[in-house]
Amino acid sequence: MSRIGNSVMLANVSRRHFLRGLAAGSAFVMAARWGLATAADSAEVKYGAAAMPGGWVDNPNVFIRIDADGTVTITNHRAEMGQGIRTSLALVAADELGADWDRVKVEQADANQDKYGNQNTDGSRSMRHWYEPMRRAAAGARLMLEQAAADQWGVPVDEVETRVHEVVHKNSDRSLGFGELAAAARELEVPDRDQLTLKPDSQLRYIGRETGLVNGDLTNRDTRPPAIDGEDVVTGKARFGADVQMDNMLYAVIARPPVLGATIKSVDDSATLGVRGVVKTITLEGTGMPAAFSPLGGVAVVAENTWAAIKGRDALEIEWNMEPAGDNARYTSNDYRQMLEERAESAGKVVRESGDIEKALKEANKTVTATYYMPHMAQAPMEPPVAIVQFNGDTAEAWAPVQHPRATRQGVAGALGLDLEKVTVHQTLLGGGFGRKSKPDFVIEAARLASQFKGRPVRVQWTREDDIHHAYFHAVSVDRLEAALDSDGKATGWLHRTLSPSIGSLFAEDPKHKADFELGMGFNTMPFDIPAIRLENPEAAAHTRIGWFRAVYNLPHAWAIQSFAAEMAEAAGRDHRDYLLELLGEPRKINPSEFKDGWNYGENPEVYPIDIGRMRAVVERATREANWDNKDRGERRGLGLAMHHSFVSYTAIVMDVEVDDAGEVIIHRADIAFDCGRAVNPERVRSQMEGACVMGIGIALQSEVSFRDGKAEQDNFDRYLIPRMENAPREVHVHLVDGGEDAPMGGVGEPGLPPVAPALCNAIYAATGKRIRRLPVADQLG
Amino acid sequence: MINLTINGQEHELDVPGDMPLLWALRDVVKLTGTKFGCGIAQCGACTVHLDGEATRSCVTPVASAEGKAVTTIEAMADDDVGQRVQQAWLELGVAQCGYCQGGQIMTATALLKENSNPDGAEIRDAMNGNLCRCGTYNRIEAAVARAAGMEDKS
Ligand code: FES
Ligand code: FES
C-alpha cells in the first residue's frame, strides 16, 4: 500500500472528514440560512462554509486531476455568471499547487453536493467560503506530487520542493515534471489535513497580484493569467445554457398566467397547431401558493424550433381564471406604495431600540423626516432563463444555467418522480444571474414537458417578455426616517421604519414582516452612533413573487439611510463627509448581536464584527480620491457620497454628476473605495465594482417594474430600462482598501451595488438642489 | 428553401421566410455565438454583419438576408479588424458573463471598419444600442479605442 510521508503518524485517521468536510445537520442549516434560528437552537453553532448545506470539501482528488502530459485539470463547482469564479478559484488552486497557468484547464462540475460540498452560488460567498478549502486541496495535491518524487528518488520528502509545474530535489539537480509524477501521486493516500503547509505569501504568484486594467493602466500586462473563458467568449464558442445543442431536440415556450395565482379557464389552440413547425400544445397545471421554485403553469407550445414555438404561442387563445389569484389580481403598485407610505406614519414591530426616541424627538432642536421608495425590479440577466431536460424513463439529464445546482437537481427529480441520484444536472455558463437563476423554476418546466417526450431533449426558452413579466421581483420598499438634531446639528435620535414584502412569502404563508436575514441587510445593522435609536418593521404583504435581486434588501436600506444621512447633514449645515464620519463615530468593532442581528451573512461575529474603522476608511479613501475638499465643480454639477456595509465587505462611492438643462444625468466620474479583506483576484474585483456601479446607476435612474391589476406593466427593454453605455460614468476608479492584517475575506459580487443609487441621488441634489426620494429618477429632473 | 451565405459558406435552409435570421442561425445552422436577448432590436446581443453592416438578426427575416453575406461572431477570428477587437477585449478583460460580448464585438468591428479612429463620443454613439447587464461599458469603450490604436500601429 502506498503511503505518504515517512512515519506511521501519517496514517489517514481523518480521511473521512477530509472527504465530507464539515457538513452540518440539514434542518439547522436551512433554518440558519433563513435567519429563523438563533445560536441557542443548536449546541454547536457553525458559520461560513461549514454552515451551508453540504458544507465544504477539500479533498484534492475531488478538485484536481493531473494527466501524464502535465495538464492540470481543476474542477469548478460554483456557478460562473460573470464574477470570474472559474478563473479565480482555479488560480487559487494553481498557485498553491505550483501549476503553470498555461497548462491549467477548468472543468465544470455537475450538480453533486455530496461530492463537492455546497454549490449554491449566491450571497457573494464563493471566494470567502472556498478560498481555504481550495488552497488545502491544492496543498494536498502538491504534497502527493512531492511524495511521489521523493519515493522515486529514494530521498526524504523534506529534501524535495515544488517549483513551477515540477518537483525538484534540492540536494541534486534532479527534477520531475507534474505529468511524470501524476500516475504515482494518484496512487498515494490523501494526506492528513494537519500535514499540509500552505505557501507563505512571498511564494504566491497569482493570488492577490494586481494585473490587467487598473484605473486606466494595464498592469503586469505580459504576465497576467488569461481568464479561463476569455478566448471562448470573444470567439463565440463559450457555451451558455442557451447554446446547448442536442440531436432531436424540441423547443418550447410557455404562455404563463398573467397574474400570480391565476389559472386557465379555456384554451383554443387550433390556430397554434396550424403554425408550421408546431408539434403539440401542453397544458401545465400551476402548483399554487406559495410559489416557491414551482412553475407557474400555463400552456406550453412545443415545436421544432424556437421561432415556431413563439409564433404558435402568439396564436393561442387563452382565457384566464383570475379568481384563484385573489388579491393579487387587484395589485396596483402605485396604490400599494401610497398605502405603505401611509402605514409608515404609524409605529410597527420594533426590531431594535436603544435610548428614548420619543424624548429625543420631543427635545430636538430640529427634526428631519423623509420617506423613500424603491420599486420592483427584474434581474433581467442578459441570457433569459433557458433549460434543456431529457427524460429517459428511469433517469434524466438536464443542462441549465443555474446558480443553485442542488435545488435544480431536487426540482427535476421531484417533477419526474425520480430519486436524486437518477438525475444529472450539467451546469453551463450563465449569461448573468443576479439572483434570477437561483430559482430553478424554468428547469422544472422543462422537466415536466420532457416527461411527455421520453428520450427526446426538450428545451424551454424564456423570451425577454417572459423574463420581465414573470420575474421573481425585487421587493418594493418604503422607508421612512426621522431624526432629531440638537442645537449643534448633532444627531440625538433616529427612527427608521422599513416596509416591504418578504422573500419569506415565496416559501410559506406570507410573514408580512422581514425575516432576520432581510433586516440584517443593512437595516438593523445600521451603524450610526446615535444615543436614541428605534428601528421598526410594520407589515407589508406580498402580491407577486418576491425574490433575491443582487444585494437584495441592502438596496432599499442603503438608499434610504445614505440619502437621509445627506439630508441630515444639510439640515445641520454640515459637510456631508464630515457629518457621515461623525455619525459613524469612533473606530470600533461591534458584535452584530448588539444590533439584534443574529445572521451576519452566516459568518462568525467574532471573526466578522461590524467594523466602524473599516467604514471610515472607505469613506475617507473615496472622498480623498474624488478630491472632495474641492467640491465646487461648476454649474449644475456636484459630488455625492454614500457608504454601505454588506456581505461582510465595505464600500464607499463618490459620484461627480452633472444634470443638463434637459434633465439628463451625466456622470463624469465615480470613485469607489472597496474593502473586502484580501482581494484574491484584484482584476475581477475591480470589474465587479465597475459593473455594480453601472447596474446601480440603472436602479437610480431607470429601472422599474410597475403593476396594474396584478400584471407587470413592462416586459422588454423598450420600457424596462437598464443602463446603456451613455449612462455609464465617463470614468470609474476603483480603489482597493487594505482592511488590515486581521481583516477577514468578504463578498465581492454584491457589496458594490447598494451605495450607488444614494451616492448618485446625493450628487443630483448637490448639482440641482432637487432631492430624489422616489426611484427611479426617470423624468423627475426634466 | 432559403439560400444563405454564412461566413462564406452556402446553406440551404428549409424554414419559413419570416423566421428571424437569429433563430435560423441558432436553431437550424447551429451557430450559437449570435445570442437572443430581447427579440425586438433593443439589446444588440444578436448582432451580425449583413454585407458588412451591423444588423439585429432578431428582427431580420431570414428571407431578407438571401443574397447577402451573413457574417457572425464565429468568423471574427478570421477578420483582421475583428481579430484586433478580440485581442483588445482580452487584454482589457472586458467580459464578465460574456453573453452580450459577441454582439458587442460585432458592433465594434463594424464601427472600426467604417471609422478606423473613432473618438469617445463616436464610440459611445455606435455602441449605445448594445446592452450589457453586467455593466462592462467602460472597458468596452476602452477596448474599442485600443483596437483602433492597434490598427494605427500596423
Ligand atoms: S435580441 Fe436582437 S436586439 Fe436584442
Ligand atoms: S458581459 Fe454579461 S451581459 Fe455583458
Side-chain angles (χ1 to χ4, degrees):
Chain A
M1 173 94 182
S2 310
R3 61 195 176 85
I4 191 154
N6 310 326
S7 77
V8 133
M9 191 185 87
L10 291 185
N12 210 338
V13 287
S14 65
R15 189 178 164 80
R16 218 160 25 99
H17 288 164
F18 217 123
L19 285 168
R20 276 298 281 118
L22 293 174
S26 61
F28 169 68
V29 167
M30 274 318 286
R33 172 79 183 78
W34 293 99
L36 302 173
T38 60
D41 293 348
S42 169
E44 192 193 356
V45 183
K46 293 191 170 73
Y47 296 110
M52 300 299 296
W56 48 266
V57 170
D58 61 0
N59 185 334
N61 291 332
V62 169
F63 292 109
I64 299 166
R65 191 184 72 230
I66 304 174
D67 292 329
D69 67 357
T71 303
V72 171
T73 304
I74 297 169
T75 297
N76 173 69
H77 65 301
R78 307 288 292 180
E80 174 60 71
M81 47 192 167
Q83 80 280 45
I85 200 66
R86 275 163 58 88
T87 297
S88 300
L89 265 186
L91 276 173
V92 169
D95 209 350
E96 185 63 54
L97 180 63
D100 173 7
W101 187 247
D102 290 341
R103 298 166 79 180
V104 170
K105 287 207 313 218
V106 172
E107 245 170 41
Q108 187 65 36
D110 291 340
N112 192 342
Q113 183 176 290
D114 293 337
K115 180 175 180 186
Y116 300 108
N118 188 273
Q119 295 180 270
N120 181 7
T121 312
D122 78 359
S124 300
R125 288 188 298 249
S126 289
M127 189 52 82
R128 77 177 195 265
H129 283 184
W130 287 92
Y131 176 72
E132 288 179 9
M134 268 307 150
R135 284 197 66 175
R136 287 196 300 272
R142 174 163 48 79
L143 189 51
M144 291 160 84
L145 290 165
E146 288 169 353
Q147 185 62 50
D151 287 349
Q152 192 160 332
W153 292 323
V155 302
V157 72
D158 57 11
E159 284 185 19
V160 309
E161 69 180 16
T162 297
R163 295 199 190 133
V164 178
H165 233 82
E166 62 176 9
V167 178
V168 297
H169 182 226
K170 288 185 273 189
N171 305 359
S172 67
D173 54 4
R174 285 176 293 183
S175 69
L176 286 164
F178 280 8
E180 295 169 288
L181 293 165
R186 205 176 302 138
E187 295 302 312
L188 298 173
E189 289 267 322
V190 169
D192 218 18
R193 211 170 277 132
D194 57 18
Q195 297 302 307
L196 305 177
T197 3
L198 300 187
K199 284 183 174 173
D201 285 2
S202 59
Q203 284 178 28
L204 297 176
R205 293 165 303 141
Y206 305 130
I207 296 169
R209 194 156 156 274
E210 282 280 13
T211 64
L213 203 56
V214 179
N215 298 335
D217 293 323
L218 267 187
T219 305
N220 291 322
R221 177 182 165 196
D222 299 328
T223 53
R224 168 166 165 245
I228 277 296
D229 299 305
E231 188 90 28
D232 283 350
V233 162
V234 300
T235 53
K237 289 196 201 97
R239 198 171 77 154
F240 297 88
D243 303 330
V244 174
Q245 293 292 342
M246 305 286 295
D247 288 341
N248 211 15
M249 184 159 67
L250 291 165
Y251 299 73
V253 297
I254 300 173
R256 298 174 187 80
V259 173
L260 179 61
T263 55
I264 298 162
K265 194 180 277 175
S266 66
V267 184
D268 177 355
D269 63 2
S270 46
T272 300
L273 294 173
V275 172
R276 180 178 164 192
V278 168
V279 173
K280 195 177 178 183
T281 68
I282 296 172
T283 300
L284 295 168
E285 290 292 322
T287 30
M289 310 288 259
F293 296 155
S294 308
L296 295 169
V299 181
V301 178
V302 183
E304 280 160 9
N305 58 65
T306 314
W307 177 241
I310 290 173
K311 262 176 69 172
R313 182 173 70 174
D314 287 346
L316 282 173
E317 299 282 350
I318 306 175
E319 213 184 318
W320 301 101
N321 179 9
M322 295 295 178
E323 211 60 45
D327 269 359
N328 292 352
R330 290 177 286 280
Y331 179 48
T332 294
S333 50
N334 202 35
D335 298 345
Y336 186 70
R337 172 180 56 75
Q338 284 171 20
M339 188 275 286
L340 290 185
E341 283 170 357
E342 279 161 32
R343 188 175 290 167
E345 295 301 318
S346 317
K349 178 180 159 190
V350 176
V351 298
R352 183 181 142 197
E353 184 161 30
S354 55
D356 187 342
I357 184 67
E358 312 291 352
K359 186 159 169 273
L361 288 170
K362 203 169 338 131
E363 291 174 2
N365 178 258
K366 199 179 210 178
T367 60
V368 187
T369 307
T371 300
Y372 302 90
Y373 177 72
M374 187 177 277
H376 286 301
M377 293 178 289
Q379 298 85 354
M382 217 54 224
E383 174 196 44
V386 58
I388 294 102
V389 175
Q390 180 171 334
F391 174 59
N392 301 315
D394 45 10
T395 60
E397 256 182 293
W399 294 260
V402 286
Q403 289 175 245
H404 197 341
R406 172 77 171 184
T408 306
R409 198 178 183 199
Q410 287 169 329
V412 171
L416 296 172
L418 294 173
D419 290 339
L420 200 65
E421 295 66 41
K422 300 291 183 188
V423 173
T424 307
V425 175
H426 304 289
Q427 170 74 292
T428 66
L429 292 174
L430 282 69
F434 313 116
R436 173 61 186 89
K437 293 171 184 169
S438 297
K439 300 92 173 171
D441 56 312
F442 53 101
V443 195
I444 300 171
E445 288 178 335
R448 286 216 208 155
L449 295 177
S451 72
Q452 310 217 8
F453 298 94
K454 203 167 134 185
R456 284 191 84 173
V458 178
R459 167 208 297 272
V460 167
Q461 174 71 58
W462 284 47
T463 61
R464 182 59 61 192
E465 287 80 4
D466 299 336
D467 173 54
I468 294 176
H469 203 112
H470 303 291
Y472 286 78
F473 296 95
H474 177 65
V476 297
S477 190
V478 165
D479 287 87
R480 180 192 183 277
L481 291 103
E482 190 171 353
L485 308 186
D486 69 13
S487 52
D488 297 329
K490 213 172 144 44
T492 53
W494 172 277
L495 172 63
H496 181 175
R497 295 193 185 111
T498 189
L499 300 85
S500 19
S502 166
I503 294 173
S505 62
L506 197 57
F507 299 100
E509 197 188 326
D510 191 346
K512 297 189 181 157
H513 294 283
K514 292 188 193 178
D516 282 1
F517 84 94
E518 297 171 327
L519 297 167
M521 291 189 184
F523 178 68
N524 55 10
T525 47
M526 190 285 296
F528 297 156
D529 186 13
I530 299 174
I533 291 175
R534 189 159 76 207
L535 307 181
E536 299 174 3
N537 175 220
E539 250 183 45
H543 295 294
T544 184
R545 294 197 297 188
I546 304 296
W548 304 267
F549 178 114
R550 188 184 193 178
V552 205
Y553 290 88
N554 283 292
L555 297 172
H557 296 152
W559 184 61
I561 291 169
Q562 294 294 315
S563 295
F564 192 61
E567 296 208 46
M568 288 165 71
E570 174 82 14
R574 300 276 308 281
D575 171 77
H576 179 200
R577 173 200 55 195
D578 297 348
Y579 198 80
L580 183 58
L581 290 171
E582 187 178 295
L583 284 171
L584 289 170
E586 291 305 306
R588 64 201 185 282
K589 292 179 182 169
I590 299 163
N591 189 311
S593 64
E594 280 181 43
F595 287 165
K596 299 287 186 297
D597 174 39
W599 181 55
N600 203 35
Y601 299 91
E603 303 297 344
N604 185 342
E606 304 286 331
V607 182
Y608 287 90
I610 295 172
D611 192 329
I612 304 295
R614 294 172 75 186
M615 292 185 188
R616 295 181 63 96
V618 290
V619 170
E620 283 162 357
R621 179 71 182 274
T623 48
R624 186 169 72 243
E625 298 282 357
N627 196 8
W628 182 268
D629 287 323
N630 182 10
K631 274 206 300 281
D632 186 8
R633 304 290 156 114
E635 273 293 284
R636 293 182 71 83
R637 188 165 165 184
L639 298 187
L641 163 68
M643 183 282 301
H644 191 67
H645 156 247
S646 66
F647 304 91
V648 289
S649 287
Y650 300 81
T651 317
I653 303 186
V654 175
M655 291 222 177
D656 174 353
V657 171
E658 180 181 345
V659 180
D660 72 14
D661 293 335
E664 292 299 320
V665 174
I666 302 141
I667 303 171
H668 290 281
R669 176 169 163 143
D671 280 278
I672 305 167
F674 183 56
D675 173 6
C676 61
R678 168 170 248 178
V680 172
N681 185 1
E683 198 271 341
R684 284 297 90 181
V685 175
R686 290 175 185 282
S687 83
Q688 281 301 294
M689 292 297 112
E690 295 163 16
C693 182
V694 168
M695 185 178 268
I697 288 165
I699 291 173
L701 299 182
Q702 304 165 311
S703 302
E704 169 169 24
V705 177
S706 56
F707 279 74
R708 179 166 303 277
D709 299 331
K711 293 179 199 152
E713 293 187 288
Q714 296 75 21
D715 62 11
N716 208 324
F717 295 130
D718 51 347
R719 290 197 297 141
Y720 180 66
L721 303 182
I722 62 171
R724 294 183 176 276
M725 189 178 272
E726 65 188 0
N727 305 114
R730 293 290 174 268
E731 285 179 46
V732 185
H733 294 252
V734 178
H735 314 286
L736 300 181
V737 176
D738 180 359
E741 271 296 286
D742 60 345
M745 197 175 281
V748 172
E750 290 163 282
L753 193 58
V756 178
L760 178 46
C761 291
N762 289 340
I764 288 171
Y765 181 79
T768 64
K770 165 88 180 161
R771 173 53 66 182
I772 301 295
R773 297 206 183 99
R774 187 187 301 170
L775 294 183
V777 171
D779 53 10
Q780 293 179 61
L781 301 171
Chain B
M1 285 292 167
I2 304 281
N3 292 295
L4 288 184
T5 309
I6 305 167
N7 300 334
Q9 282 193 345
E10 305 291 324
H11 292 262
E12 200 181 62
L13 308 184
D14 182 13
V15 299
D18 69 344
M19 178 186 278
L21 177 59
L22 167 71
W23 297 115
L25 289 169
R26 292 185 55 84
D27 293 352
V28 184
V29 188
K30 313 283 184 200
L31 283 174
T32 56
T34 306
K35 306 298 188 205
F36 168 63
C38 69
I40 59 163
Q42 285 289 320
C43 78
C46 66
T47 306
V48 299
H49 296 172
L50 269 195
D51 284 344
E53 200 170 320
T55 304
R56 305 291 185 239
S57 65
C58 69
V59 291
T60 305
V62 67
S64 73
E66 276 194 298
K68 295 185 181 161
V70 179
T71 312
T72 71
I73 182 68
E74 283 88 350
M76 281 303 101
D78 303 322
D79 180 287
D80 284 350
V81 180
Q83 229 176 58
R84 279 195 289 273
V85 172
Q86 289 172 328
Q87 194 192 327
W89 243 248
L90 291 175
E91 285 184 351
L92 299 194
V94 170
Q96 288 188 28
C97 81
Y99 191 80
C100 73
Q101 299 295 347
Q104 305 278 3
I105 288 170
M106 294 307 285
T107 303
T109 304
L111 165 68
L112 293 181
K113 286 182 182 212
E114 214 180 271
N115 175 357
S116 62
N117 196 18
D119 63 19
E122 288 168 327
I123 293 173
R124 287 195 294 275
D125 192 48
M127 301 305 299
N128 207 46
N130 284 71
L131 289 171
C132 173
R133 188 58 165 151
C134 298
T136 62
Y137 297 125
N138 291 83
R139 293 194 193 210
I140 291 173
E141 185 182 335
V144 176
R146 185 174 184 83
M150 286 177 193
E151 191 173 38
D152 283 341
K153 269 174 252 152
S154 65

